[in-house]
Amino acid sequence: MTFRTFAFNNVIRNKRLYAAYFLSSMFTVMVFFTFAIFAFHPSLNGDNMNSHVSQGMYIAAGIIYVFSFFFILYSMSSFLQSRKKEFGLLMMQGMSMKQIRLMVFLENMLIGFIATIGGILLGVIFAKGILLTAENVLIIENKLNFYFPSSAIILTFISFMLLFFFISIFVSYILRSRKLIELIKGNKKSKGEPKANILLTIIAALLIGIGYTVALLAEGVAVTIVMLPVITVVIIGTYLFFTQLSVFVIRRLKKNENIFWSKTNMLLFSDLSFRMKDNARTFFMVAIISTVAFSAIGTLFGFQSFITAGTEITNPNTFTYQAEDYKEEEVAFIQETLRKENIKTEEARAILRHYEIEKERFQITKQSDFNRFAKLIGENTIDVKDGQLIAVKYEGIPFGQKKDPMDATIKLTSGETMKPGKMIESRSLPSSDFYYVVSDNDYKKLPAPTEEMYFHAWQATDGKPHVLDASEKIAGTIPVYKFTSAEYQTYQINKAYGPIMFVGLFIGIVFFVSAGSFLYFRLYMDLDEDKQKFKSIAKMGLTEKELKKVLNRQTAILFFAPITVALIHGAVALTALSHLFYYDLFKESVIVLSVFLAIQIIYFFIVRFFYTKQIKIAVQ
């Protein structure tokens, strides 16, 4: 048997431990390859929006590549820790440290080669489906036909083989100073049960509490100002939470005899306390990585919802035309386009006037104009008496308002003064601020306006499927600052935002899969030790039902302790984001967090099944 064959057999014998590392690496390669397919796609080249999609894919692939380096490095470090005893036994059989380093190098290169090839093959197999999905998600006008991605294959293969090569050299290099006695003892060398520092425990609670409070109380621009300090404080607090506060809680539970001596709690707390020093670091890393994934995808999803909802709120009409330099031929072109597209509409038009009131400019309209546009979108009409002034609240984000609209005083040319009697909410007329409605008689008594704007609105009653086509034709002729269509604006927003959402979703998934892999590594690194421990305890009378209960609790704590913290962090972050935009993101937050939690629960059941199966086989 050659040395290379020995290294190959070592990988096969440790397939259980290498499984998550291999699958995660292969998934990472596939994602990188997917972005490369888009980046090199012929339809995404040129001097248009598609070229920006291509550039975005390059950037995403770079982020995935950098993250892959640290992920694989951490994974290999975990494997080295779990195999120290094996290395010690090999040295006792006469293998030199140089040969062990060579063996580790060959093993990692073998896994890297297979994972790279596997990731590329999976990418090619699913490439057509991914391209079809991307056509809809990215809203690309040109079809993304399947092509043989030779450039993407070459780039992916060379990039990841270099990555595995340098990591293999690094991990084999760090073995050079290991002593035989240290390797022989392996993981049996106790690191001691950690003790919680009371001061650091209190600081952990304070830092997280302060970070949450500031994040939840900040509103508007203040959210961006406090963002960096809050993130820093919460990260430090999270680290201390797992290294200090969690240890403190476990030690307190152990001192409570009613809890500690109840059924199998002694096994659970003793084991958890003994391993907390190592688990704390893993928990912290998984919590932060998962929080980044939750927050990134939640932010992208929430921002898209915010801007599209804002477009729909501020544009209740199917089409609008407004301009200071009104041109009859432009309105005629809109009418003719709607006729050709078989779109039947109801319409209304008016001259909107702005007046200066106490050094501020406000729109004032008459009752008849307001009611025509209110009927057009199905709102209730209003009855304004002579001498009455009604303030209308704009349904959106107000810009430039410096005073309460109910404090305004309007002077008529007759010398009379008017003050608002009540305020209503309406989407009937366009405005970036509050405006006022007066009776038709009082409207004639207003002084000369400071500005006049022609406004024409159409509401489709039939032919709605053709609205987008009509909007594209009209927008190609009439300037965008004059013509508005909510459906067309939403389409353009989604078209520009699609690539960002697509990239962010993939990167978030990679982060989350990696976080789950870290938990898998942490659990299976101690599998051999757990087998011996539970085998010994079973001899003392531990039943299969009790064994299953201990394993379920132990695995659940390992999986859901960091994920629960990450979910709370993510919920706070998305709540702060809603305060930034003054827009409720509760629905979007629940969807994102629920999806990730569901994925983690499925992953937990899968890992728990195989882990429990291994322990039961050893105990029998």
Side-chain angles (χ1 to χ4, degrees), residues 64 123 144 193 214 227 310 391 470 581:
I64 295 295
L144 296 178
E193 181 179 342
V214 173
M227 183 181 297
F581 297 134

Side-chain angles (χ1 to χ4, degrees), residues 386-401:
D386 290 344
Q388 184 181 10
L389 182 64
I390 295 178
V392 182
K393 183 180 179 181
Y394 166 71
E395 287 192 5
I397 302 174
F399 297 97
Q401 182 187 337

Side-chain angles (χ1 to χ4, degrees), residues 300-540:
L300 291 173
F301 186 34
F303 187 66
Q304 183 183 34
S305 174
F306 166 72
I307 56 179
T308 53
T311 300
E312 294 171 359
I313 290 173
T314 55
N315 296 282
N317 302 110
T318 309
F319 309 99
T320 61
Y321 173 86
Q322 54 182 331
E324 292 182 38
D325 56 333
Y326 164 72
K327 294 180 180 179
E328 185 63 42
E329 61 269 21
E330 292 180 335
V331 175
F333 175 75
I334 295 174
Q335 300 276 33
E336 179 63 17
T337 303
L338 299 183
R339 186 188 65 78
K340 289 181 179 179
E341 293 292 334
N342 296 318
I343 301 175
K344 296 181 181 179
T345 63
E346 294 179 354
E347 58 185 282
R349 65 177 72 189
I351 301 295
L352 305 180
R353 294 174 177 175
H354 290 81
Y355 301 83
E356 187 171 314
I357 303 173
E358 299 176 0
K359 299 183 180 180
E360 288 194 49
R361 195 171 67 91
F362 284 98
Q363 177 179 302
I364 303 178
T365 190
K366 56 185 176 181
Q367 171 190 309
S368 57
D369 285 345
F370 177 88
N371 285 341
R372 280 203 311 277
F373 286 99
K375 287 180 181 178
L376 198 63
I377 62 173
E379 284 191 350
N380 295 327
T381 58
I382 58 175
D383 182 22
V384 186
K385 307 295 183 184
D386 290 344
Q388 184 181 10
L389 182 64
I390 295 178
V392 182
K393 183 180 179 181
Y394 166 71
E395 287 192 5
I397 302 174
F399 297 97
Q401 182 187 337
K402 298 181 177 61
K403 62 180 294 182
D404 187 343
M406 300 301 288
D407 293 337
T409 301
I410 297 176
K411 293 183 180 180
L412 303 178
T413 54
S414 61
E416 301 173 75
T417 60
M418 304 172 63
K419 291 187 70 67
K422 67 176 181 178
M423 183 166 59
I424 63 173
E425 291 187 6
S426 174
R427 301 165 61 203
S428 302
L429 294 172
S431 177
S432 60
D433 214 326
F434 291 93
Y435 61 95
Y436 300 96
V437 181
V438 297
S439 67
D440 287 22
N441 289 332
D442 288 336
Y443 189 74
K444 298 174 184 178
K445 301 176 185 178
L446 291 172
T450 57
E451 180 185 74
E452 288 188 345
M453 179 78 69
Y454 174 83
F455 181 65
H456 197 139
W458 294 263
Q459 199 71 12
T461 57
D462 192 20
K464 292 181 181 180
H466 306 292
V467 167
L468 185 59
D469 291 336
S471 300
E472 287 182 320
K473 293 177 181 178
I474 296 170
T477 302
I478 299 177
V480 293
Y481 63 86
K482 290 185 177 182
F483 173 76
T484 302
S485 167
E487 186 171 335
Y488 181 69
Q489 280 190 335
T490 302
Y491 170 78
Q492 291 295 327
I493 290 169
N494 290 334
K495 184 177 179 180
Y497 200 78
I500 301 173
M501 191 71 179
F502 188 77
V503 169
L505 182 64
F506 264 97
I507 292 177
I509 290 173
V510 169
F511 273 49
F512 192 69
V513 168
S514 300
S517 298
F518 291 153
L519 294 175
Y520 178 94
F521 299 149
R522 180 67 260 169
L523 185 66
Y524 275 85
M525 273 178 61
D526 299 320
L527 180 59
D528 291 334
E529 183 180 342
D530 287 345
K531 285 180 179 179
Q532 295 298 324
K533 178 185 67 180
F534 286 111
K535 188 174 182 179
S536 300
I537 297 174
K539 293 178 181 179
M540 294 186 289

Side-chain angles (χ1 to χ4, degrees), residues 167-223:
I167 289 180
S168 299
I169 290 178
F170 179 79
V171 296
S172 59
Y173 175 77
I174 62 176
L175 283 171
R176 75 192 191 286
S177 60
R178 301 289 187 185
K179 296 180 181 180
L180 179 59
I181 186 66
E182 178 186 350
L183 295 173
I184 290 294
K185 287 186 176 180
N187 292 328
K188 289 185 178 180
K189 185 178 178 181
S190 174
K191 297 180 181 179
E193 181 179 342
K195 295 182 179 180
N197 184 299
I198 299 299
L199 178 60
L200 292 178
T201 299
I202 296 173
I203 291 175
L206 287 175
L207 288 177
I208 294 177
I210 291 171
Y212 282 0
T213 302
V214 173
L216 294 174
L217 291 180
E219 292 187 357
V221 181
V223 174

Side-chain angles (χ1 to χ4, degrees), residues 250-263:
I250 291 173
R251 290 178 66 87
R252 294 291 295 181
L253 290 173
K254 288 177 67 176
K255 290 181 179 179
N256 188 319
E257 295 185 359
N258 292 331
I259 296 176
F260 185 72
W261 292 102
S262 175
K263 299 180 181 179

